[in-house]
Amino acid sequence: MTEGTRRRLLFTPGPLTMSERVRAAMGEDWGSRDPAFVDLTRDLVAGLSDLLEAGAGHALVPLQGSGTFAVEAMIGSLVPPSGKLLVVENGVYAERIGRIARTLGREVASLVLPATRPVDPAAVEAALAADPSVTHVAAVHLETVMGLVNPIEAIADVVERAGRKLLVDAMSTFGALDLRSAGQKCEALAFSSNKCLQGPPGLGFVLARESGFEAGRSPSVALDLEAQWRSWKANGQWRFTPPTHVLAGTREALRELVEEGGPAKRLERYQGNFEALRAGCRALGLATVLDEADLSPVILALREPDDPRFDFEELYGHLAARDLFIYPGNLIGTASFRIGCIGDLHREDMLRLLAAIGDYWDEKGLARA
Ligand SMILES: *Cc1c(COP(=O)(O)O)cnc(C)c1O
């Protein structure tokens, strides 16, 4: 970690604070058809596949755009027009999947579950039993607005037993939580460069069973995963201009992840960040939105103090003036805000943030616990 170069600390769910080495890796220009760049992409895709222990029969397809582009490509390319998608919905990202699938003209059923509780796999099982026309199920591993983790393996087991196919939004877990087993069990899994992988924003990835692809199925040209995969396999080329610098930064981020000791070690660091944050917030008298048992080390959603002197915009400005950036909440019915634990952040960064929040508390005369 090189202090001074990380001027801004982003306590946000992504884009997030990157290390200097990742930022530096983006400083070169690359010719997109040059063999060295083809090797760079190949290296990145192979490394990500290794991390997921994806074997033969699985394709790891890179795609330009933010995470939502990858999710949209996954839905449009894998759910056939004759299929029906059941969206397991306990948060805004699952709701977005439903909107995408409907916009693409796919038949959708939403299983709406409470947004403050992890998905109960039995509810998915019952919904599948009740509707034999469902061919695919979509689920979100971690609903990032709340920081709520869903039991993706148990959901995958239920979907598999029912003979349907599972599509997973693993955006905010890839790089930290273990997705090797889920990756084998599901039809496809989408993630992006700029969350727990700690790369720059601008790239999505879909790990998919090759058997799920069908040429010409996607209703989109640019977001056609099968075409992207076919082109990629043929010559390592991108169909359309690749975000060259982002790819270089993401490859460096992957190297960094491997050097850190892989997702398990990274999760340990996030857990340490989270525990420092949790203890500091408790001391400030801040309550969490979720029950203690459901908290995840990715992002912490906090209730605003019940004191008219507290003003989120003011707190935000106070922290931003110190190059510390937190996230507003947009949780229906709860005045809240969020603090992320992911990125190139360490315990001392969490303590620095907490000290700055403490200064705001003192300035406003807010009560501590
Ligand atoms: C970040 C995120 C996405 C993608 O959002 P973008 O703004 O398109 O990057 C999708 N799902 C989840 C769960 C996320 O956390």
Short mmCIF file of all heavy atoms in Angstrom, two decimals, residues 45-87:
data_model
loop_
_atom_site.label_atom_id
_atom_site.label_comp_id
_atom_site.label_asym_id
_atom_site.label_seq_id
_atom_site.Cartn_x
_atom_site.Cartn_y
_atom_site.Cartn_z
N VAL A 45 -8.55 -14.02 -18.60
CA VAL A 45 -9.68 -14.97 -18.64
C VAL A 45 -9.26 -16.32 -18.04
O VAL A 45 -10.01 -16.94 -17.28
CB VAL A 45 -10.19 -15.11 -20.10
CG1 VAL A 45 -11.13 -16.30 -20.25
CG2 VAL A 45 -10.90 -13.83 -20.53
N ALA A 46 -8.03 -16.76 -18.36
CA ALA A 46 -7.56 -18.04 -17.81
C ALA A 46 -7.43 -17.94 -16.29
O ALA A 46 -7.80 -18.87 -15.56
CB ALA A 46 -6.22 -18.41 -18.44
N GLY A 47 -6.91 -16.83 -15.80
CA GLY A 47 -6.75 -16.65 -14.36
C GLY A 47 -8.08 -16.64 -13.62
O GLY A 47 -8.21 -17.24 -12.55
N LEU A 48 -9.06 -15.98 -14.20
CA LEU A 48 -10.39 -15.94 -13.57
C LEU A 48 -11.03 -17.32 -13.59
O LEU A 48 -11.66 -17.75 -12.61
CB LEU A 48 -11.29 -14.92 -14.28
CG LEU A 48 -10.88 -13.44 -14.15
CD1 LEU A 48 -11.72 -12.57 -15.09
CD2 LEU A 48 -11.03 -12.95 -12.72
N SER A 49 -10.84 -18.04 -14.71
CA SER A 49 -11.38 -19.41 -14.80
C SER A 49 -10.74 -20.30 -13.75
O SER A 49 -11.42 -21.11 -13.11
CB SER A 49 -11.12 -20.00 -16.19
OG SER A 49 -11.66 -19.17 -17.19
N ASP A 50 -9.41 -20.14 -13.56
CA ASP A 50 -8.71 -20.94 -12.55
C ASP A 50 -9.27 -20.67 -11.17
O ASP A 50 -9.46 -21.59 -10.36
CB ASP A 50 -7.21 -20.59 -12.54
CG ASP A 50 -6.49 -21.19 -13.74
OD1 ASP A 50 -7.12 -22.01 -14.45
OD2 ASP A 50 -5.32 -20.83 -13.96
N LEU A 51 -9.51 -19.40 -10.88
CA LEU A 51 -10.02 -19.02 -9.57
C LEU A 51 -11.37 -19.68 -9.30
O LEU A 51 -11.68 -20.05 -8.17
CB LEU A 51 -10.18 -17.49 -9.54
CG LEU A 51 -9.90 -16.75 -8.26
CD1 LEU A 51 -8.49 -17.01 -7.76
CD2 LEU A 51 -10.09 -15.25 -8.46
N LEU A 52 -12.16 -19.83 -10.35
CA LEU A 52 -13.48 -20.45 -10.22
C LEU A 52 -13.40 -21.96 -10.41
O LEU A 52 -14.41 -22.65 -10.31
CB LEU A 52 -14.45 -19.85 -11.25
CG LEU A 52 -14.93 -18.44 -10.92
CD1 LEU A 52 -15.52 -17.77 -12.17
CD2 LEU A 52 -15.96 -18.46 -9.80
N GLU A 53 -12.19 -22.45 -10.70
CA GLU A 53 -11.99 -23.86 -11.02
C GLU A 53 -12.97 -24.33 -12.08
O GLU A 53 -13.57 -25.40 -11.98
CB GLU A 53 -12.06 -24.72 -9.74
CG GLU A 53 -10.87 -24.46 -8.83
CD GLU A 53 -10.88 -25.29 -7.55
OE1 GLU A 53 -11.79 -26.10 -7.37
OE2 GLU A 53 -9.94 -25.10 -6.75
N ALA A 54 -13.16 -23.47 -13.09
CA ALA A 54 -14.08 -23.79 -14.18
C ALA A 54 -13.42 -24.78 -15.11
O ALA A 54 -12.32 -24.53 -15.60
CB ALA A 54 -14.45 -22.51 -14.93
N GLY A 55 -14.06 -25.90 -15.32
CA GLY A 55 -13.47 -26.94 -16.16
C GLY A 55 -13.97 -26.87 -17.58
O GLY A 55 -14.56 -25.87 -18.00
N ALA A 56 -13.70 -27.94 -18.32
CA ALA A 56 -14.17 -28.03 -19.70
C ALA A 56 -15.69 -27.93 -19.69
O ALA A 56 -16.35 -28.36 -18.75
CB ALA A 56 -13.73 -29.36 -20.30
N GLY A 57 -16.21 -27.33 -20.72
CA GLY A 57 -17.67 -27.17 -20.79
C GLY A 57 -18.14 -25.84 -20.25
O GLY A 57 -19.28 -25.46 -20.44
N HIS A 58 -17.23 -25.14 -19.55
CA HIS A 58 -17.58 -23.80 -19.06
C HIS A 58 -16.82 -22.74 -19.85
O HIS A 58 -15.64 -22.90 -20.14
CB HIS A 58 -17.24 -23.65 -17.58
CG HIS A 58 -18.30 -24.20 -16.68
ND1 HIS A 58 -18.33 -25.52 -16.29
CD2 HIS A 58 -19.37 -23.61 -16.11
CE1 HIS A 58 -19.38 -25.72 -15.52
NE2 HIS A 58 -20.03 -24.57 -15.38
N ALA A 59 -17.51 -21.68 -20.18
CA ALA A 59 -16.89 -20.56 -20.89
C ALA A 59 -16.86 -19.37 -19.96
O ALA A 59 -17.85 -19.10 -19.27
CB ALA A 59 -17.74 -20.22 -22.11
N LEU A 60 -15.73 -18.67 -19.92
CA LEU A 60 -15.70 -17.43 -19.16
C LEU A 60 -15.61 -16.29 -20.18
O LEU A 60 -14.59 -16.11 -20.84
CB LEU A 60 -14.53 -17.38 -18.18
CG LEU A 60 -14.76 -16.29 -17.12
CD1 LEU A 60 -14.45 -16.81 -15.73
CD2 LEU A 60 -13.98 -15.03 -17.41
N VAL A 61 -16.72 -15.59 -20.34
CA VAL A 61 -16.81 -14.61 -21.42
C VAL A 61 -16.67 -13.19 -20.86
O VAL A 61 -17.45 -12.79 -20.00
CB VAL A 61 -18.17 -14.73 -22.15
CG1 VAL A 61 -18.17 -13.90 -23.43
CG2 VAL A 61 -18.51 -16.18 -22.44
N PRO A 62 -15.66 -12.44 -21.32
CA PRO A 62 -15.53 -11.05 -20.90
C PRO A 62 -16.39 -10.14 -21.78
O PRO A 62 -16.63 -10.44 -22.94
CB PRO A 62 -14.04 -10.76 -21.14
CG PRO A 62 -13.65 -11.66 -22.27
CD PRO A 62 -14.58 -12.85 -22.24
N LEU A 63 -16.86 -9.07 -21.18
CA LEU A 63 -17.77 -8.18 -21.91
C LEU A 63 -17.55 -6.74 -21.46
O LEU A 63 -17.41 -6.47 -20.27
CB LEU A 63 -19.21 -8.61 -21.58
CG LEU A 63 -20.33 -8.00 -22.41
CD1 LEU A 63 -20.33 -8.60 -23.81
CD2 LEU A 63 -21.68 -8.25 -21.75
N GLN A 64 -17.56 -5.82 -22.43
CA GLN A 64 -17.44 -4.40 -22.11
C GLN A 64 -18.66 -3.95 -21.30
O GLN A 64 -19.76 -4.42 -21.53
CB GLN A 64 -17.41 -3.57 -23.39
CG GLN A 64 -16.27 -3.86 -24.34
CD GLN A 64 -16.64 -4.87 -25.41
OE1 GLN A 64 -17.46 -5.75 -25.19
NE2 GLN A 64 -16.00 -4.77 -26.56
N GLY A 65 -18.45 -3.00 -20.41
CA GLY A 65 -19.59 -2.39 -19.70
C GLY A 65 -19.56 -2.65 -18.22
O GLY A 65 -18.70 -3.37 -17.71
N SER A 66 -20.51 -2.07 -17.51
CA SER A 66 -20.60 -2.30 -16.07
C SER A 66 -21.28 -3.64 -15.82
O SER A 66 -21.69 -4.33 -16.76
CB SER A 66 -21.38 -1.16 -15.40
OG SER A 66 -22.77 -1.39 -15.51
N GLY A 67 -21.43 -3.99 -14.57
CA GLY A 67 -22.01 -5.29 -14.21
C GLY A 67 -23.37 -5.54 -14.81
O GLY A 67 -23.68 -6.66 -15.22
N THR A 68 -24.19 -4.51 -14.88
CA THR A 68 -25.55 -4.69 -15.41
C THR A 68 -25.52 -5.15 -16.87
O THR A 68 -26.38 -5.92 -17.30
CB THR A 68 -26.33 -3.36 -15.28
OG1 THR A 68 -26.30 -2.96 -13.90
CG2 THR A 68 -27.77 -3.51 -15.71
N PHE A 69 -24.51 -4.70 -17.62
CA PHE A 69 -24.40 -5.13 -19.02
C PHE A 69 -24.17 -6.65 -19.07
O PHE A 69 -24.72 -7.34 -19.93
CB PHE A 69 -23.24 -4.40 -19.72
CG PHE A 69 -23.47 -2.93 -19.94
CD1 PHE A 69 -23.63 -2.06 -18.87
CD2 PHE A 69 -23.53 -2.40 -21.22
CE1 PHE A 69 -23.84 -0.70 -19.06
CE2 PHE A 69 -23.73 -1.04 -21.42
CZ PHE A 69 -23.88 -0.20 -20.35
N ALA A 70 -23.36 -7.14 -18.16
CA ALA A 70 -23.09 -8.58 -18.11
C ALA A 70 -24.35 -9.35 -17.72
O ALA A 70 -24.64 -10.42 -18.28
CB ALA A 70 -21.95 -8.88 -17.14
N VAL A 71 -25.10 -8.79 -16.76
CA VAL A 71 -26.35 -9.45 -16.34
C VAL A 71 -27.33 -9.47 -17.51
O VAL A 71 -27.95 -10.50 -17.80
CB VAL A 71 -26.96 -8.73 -15.11
CG1 VAL A 71 -28.37 -9.23 -14.83
CG2 VAL A 71 -26.07 -8.91 -13.88
N GLU A 72 -27.44 -8.35 -18.20
CA GLU A 72 -28.37 -8.28 -19.33
C GLU A 72 -27.96 -9.26 -20.44
O GLU A 72 -28.79 -9.93 -21.05
CB GLU A 72 -28.46 -6.84 -19.86
CG GLU A 72 -29.51 -6.67 -20.93
CD GLU A 72 -30.06 -5.24 -21.02
OE1 GLU A 72 -30.07 -4.53 -20.00
OE2 GLU A 72 -30.48 -4.86 -22.12
N ALA A 73 -26.64 -9.35 -20.67
CA ALA A 73 -26.14 -10.30 -21.69
C ALA A 73 -26.45 -11.74 -21.27
O ALA A 73 -26.84 -12.57 -22.09
CB ALA A 73 -24.64 -10.11 -21.87
N MET A 74 -26.29 -12.01 -19.99
CA MET A 74 -26.54 -13.36 -19.47
C MET A 74 -28.01 -13.74 -19.67
O MET A 74 -28.32 -14.84 -20.15
CB MET A 74 -26.15 -13.41 -17.98
CG MET A 74 -26.53 -14.67 -17.25
SD MET A 74 -25.80 -14.74 -15.58
CE MET A 74 -26.88 -13.65 -14.65
N ILE A 75 -28.91 -12.84 -19.29
CA ILE A 75 -30.35 -13.14 -19.41
C ILE A 75 -30.74 -13.30 -20.87
O ILE A 75 -31.35 -14.29 -21.27
CB ILE A 75 -31.20 -12.01 -18.76
CG1 ILE A 75 -30.82 -11.80 -17.28
CG2 ILE A 75 -32.70 -12.28 -18.91
CD1 ILE A 75 -31.08 -12.95 -16.37
N GLY A 76 -30.36 -12.34 -21.70
CA GLY A 76 -30.77 -12.37 -23.11
C GLY A 76 -30.16 -13.52 -23.89
O GLY A 76 -30.76 -14.06 -24.82
N SER A 77 -28.95 -13.94 -23.49
CA SER A 77 -28.26 -14.98 -24.25
C SER A 77 -28.60 -16.38 -23.77
O SER A 77 -28.41 -17.34 -24.51
CB SER A 77 -26.74 -14.79 -24.15
OG SER A 77 -26.37 -13.49 -24.54
N LEU A 78 -29.08 -16.50 -22.54
CA LEU A 78 -29.28 -17.86 -22.00
C LEU A 78 -30.74 -18.25 -21.80
O LEU A 78 -31.07 -19.43 -21.81
CB LEU A 78 -28.50 -18.02 -20.69
CG LEU A 78 -26.98 -17.93 -20.90
CD1 LEU A 78 -26.24 -17.94 -19.58
CD2 LEU A 78 -26.48 -19.05 -21.79
N VAL A 79 -31.62 -17.28 -21.60
CA VAL A 79 -33.04 -17.63 -21.46
C VAL A 79 -33.67 -17.56 -22.85
O VAL A 79 -33.69 -16.50 -23.47
CB VAL A 79 -33.77 -16.65 -20.51
CG1 VAL A 79 -35.25 -17.05 -20.36
CG2 VAL A 79 -33.09 -16.59 -19.14
N PRO A 80 -34.14 -18.68 -23.38
CA PRO A 80 -34.72 -18.65 -24.73
C PRO A 80 -36.08 -17.93 -24.73
O PRO A 80 -36.73 -17.86 -23.68
CB PRO A 80 -34.88 -20.13 -25.08
CG PRO A 80 -34.87 -20.86 -23.78
CD PRO A 80 -34.15 -20.02 -22.78
N PRO A 81 -36.49 -17.42 -25.88
CA PRO A 81 -37.79 -16.74 -25.96
C PRO A 81 -38.93 -17.64 -25.52
O PRO A 81 -39.96 -17.16 -25.03
CB PRO A 81 -37.92 -16.38 -27.44
CG PRO A 81 -36.54 -16.43 -27.99
CD PRO A 81 -35.78 -17.42 -27.17
N SER A 82 -38.76 -18.94 -25.65
CA SER A 82 -39.82 -19.88 -25.26
C SER A 82 -39.74 -20.23 -23.77
O SER A 82 -40.58 -20.96 -23.25
CB SER A 82 -39.67 -21.17 -26.07
OG SER A 82 -38.38 -21.73 -25.80
N GLY A 83 -38.70 -19.71 -23.08
CA GLY A 83 -38.52 -20.07 -21.68
C GLY A 83 -39.29 -19.17 -20.74
O GLY A 83 -40.03 -18.28 -21.15
N LYS A 84 -39.15 -19.44 -19.45
CA LYS A 84 -39.76 -18.59 -18.43
C LYS A 84 -38.78 -18.46 -17.28
O LYS A 84 -38.23 -19.47 -16.81
CB LYS A 84 -41.08 -19.19 -17.96
CG LYS A 84 -41.78 -18.34 -16.90
CD LYS A 84 -43.18 -18.86 -16.61
CE LYS A 84 -43.87 -18.02 -15.55
NZ LYS A 84 -45.23 -18.53 -15.26
N LEU A 85 -38.58 -17.23 -16.85
CA LEU A 85 -37.60 -16.95 -15.81
C LEU A 85 -38.28 -16.64 -14.48
O LEU A 85 -39.13 -15.76 -14.41
CB LEU A 85 -36.74 -15.75 -16.23
CG LEU A 85 -35.63 -15.33 -15.27
CD1 LEU A 85 -34.52 -16.38 -15.22
CD2 LEU A 85 -35.04 -13.97 -15.67
N LEU A 86 -37.91 -17.38 -13.45
CA LEU A 86 -38.37 -17.06 -12.10
C LEU A 86 -37.28 -16.23 -11.42
O LEU A 86 -36.15 -16.69 -11.28
CB LEU A 86 -38.62 -18.34 -11.29
CG LEU A 86 -39.02 -18.10 -9.83
CD1 LEU A 86 -40.46 -17.61 -9.73
CD2 LEU A 86 -38.84 -19.37 -8.99
N VAL A 87 -37.62 -15.00 -11.03
CA VAL A 87 -36.64 -14.15 -10.36
C VAL A 87 -36.88 -14.21 -8.86
O VAL A 87 -37.97 -13.90 -8.38
CB VAL A 87 -36.73 -12.69 -10.86
CG1 VAL A 87 -35.68 -11.84 -10.16
CG2 VAL A 87 -36.54 -12.63 -12.37
#
